[in-house]
Structures are given as structure tokens and as C-alpha cells.
Amino acid sequence: TEGTSPYFDFLRVGDADFTEYGFLGAIGLQAPAQEILNNSFTALNWTAANFRPAVSRQFSWSSAINSSRIGVIIGATRSVYYFFGSINFTASSAGQRAINIADPAGSVANVVQTRATSGGATILPISMGRNPTAGDDYYRIMVYQNSGSTMAVSGQLYAFRVR
């Protein structure tokens, strides 16, 4: 929902005409803190979405069913989906942190991986483009940590579709 975060509200593509550049639509997603297991890739569940244009047929998302899925147009093989944002891991100096983008077939693109920040929260950026295959109808952001116990993770993600 608008007004809850300055980063989330940044997605205001309706303020300009991007159609000249092949811009087709966008979605902004928020994920509040959620516990993820140790040493396991886990799909991040999103709880709020902001579509641009307001009635976007380029992306789909449901808070009730498979809230980890970011739905895209199936068969849009001539398009590129760009994902960017950040994922926040709570403070722990142990282990690794990683973010991947997975498609329905389980093919994973490694976005970023790093060692934990010493004594503070680890914030990892997401910046990646995906060219969908014929069967891709959604993507998931997968997060990983191996601190030795469960860990709270939150994040914000923006996705754009261009020709």
C-alpha cells in the first residue's frame, strides 16, 4: 500500500510516459520480517503489492495464494523482466547470505552472495534481468542463510517488464 515506505512509494511510473521506451508495466512488493530456516533456500513471501499502471496485466500477485510467486505473462519470450530491490537479514556475524531468482522449472539465477556483516544486519541488493522461457509464468525470490539458527529476513522488490 502506498504511504508505508519511501522506497515502496518511489514506484511512480504513472508520472511519466515510459511506453516510448518499451515499458509495459511494473510491480512493487514488500515482505515484512519472516523467519527462514538455517542452511536452506526459502521463498520470500510478499504481503503488499503496488501495481503500475494501477491495473497491470504484466504482473500478477495474490496475498492469499502462493504469495511468494511474482506472476508474469506466460510466453513473453521477447520481453525482459528486470528485478531490483534489497533483502535485509537480521544481525549475525556467522555464515553466508544469498539471494536467487528461481523460475517454475527450478532454474536458479544467483543474484548475490556474501559473508555475514560483522555484528550488524546484512543488506543485500537485487539487480537482475531475466528473459523468460516459453513456460515461465512466475518467479520467486529465494533467500539463504547459514548462521546456525533461524533468522528474520525482510525486503522490498521492484520488477519491470520491457520489450
Side-chain angles (χ1 to χ4, degrees):
T1 57
E2 292 187 38
T4 58
S5 167
Y7 300 108
F8 194 61
D9 290 340
F10 181 73
L11 186 61
R12 300 212 184 275
V13 297
D15 295 343
D17 181 11
F18 289 89
T19 56
E20 179 178 337
Y21 304 101
F23 175 83
L24 298 171
I27 186 172
L29 296 161
Q30 287 184 313
Q34 52 200 272
E35 295 291 319
I36 62 168
L37 297 175
N38 180 56
N39 204 28
S40 176
F41 275 97
T42 305
L44 201 57
N45 289 302
W46 307 99
T47 60
N50 188 359
F51 293 91
R52 292 290 187 249
V55 181
S56 177
R57 291 184 172 79
Q58 309 306 319
F59 293 92
S60 63
W61 173 81
S62 170
S63 62
I65 302 170
N66 294 320
S67 65
S68 65
R69 291 183 178 183
I70 305 161
V72 298
I73 304 295
I74 192 165
T77 56
R78 295 184 58 184
S79 292
V80 176
Y81 289 94
Y82 290 102
F83 299 90
F84 66 97
S86 64
I87 304 297
N88 308 315
F89 296 83
T90 56
S92 172
S93 59
Q96 300 278 326
R97 310 291 180 265
I99 305 168
N100 291 340
I101 296 178
D103 64 21
S107 176
V108 174
N110 191 10
V111 176
V112 65
Q113 182 173 344
T114 189
R115 296 196 59 76
T117 303
S118 179
T122 300
I123 301 171
L124 296 181
I126 300 171
S127 179
M128 180 180 190
R130 289 290 304 248
N131 186 286
T133 62
D136 291 353
D137 61 345
Y138 67 87
Y139 293 107
R140 285 186 169 153
I141 303 301
M142 308 296 287
V143 294
Y144 172 87
Q145 61 87 19
N146 63 352
S147 65
S149 62
T150 60
M151 177 178 283
V153 175
S154 62
Q156 296 182 359
L157 178 76
Y158 308 96
F160 294 88
R161 179 181 175 210
V162 295
R163 298 186 239 261

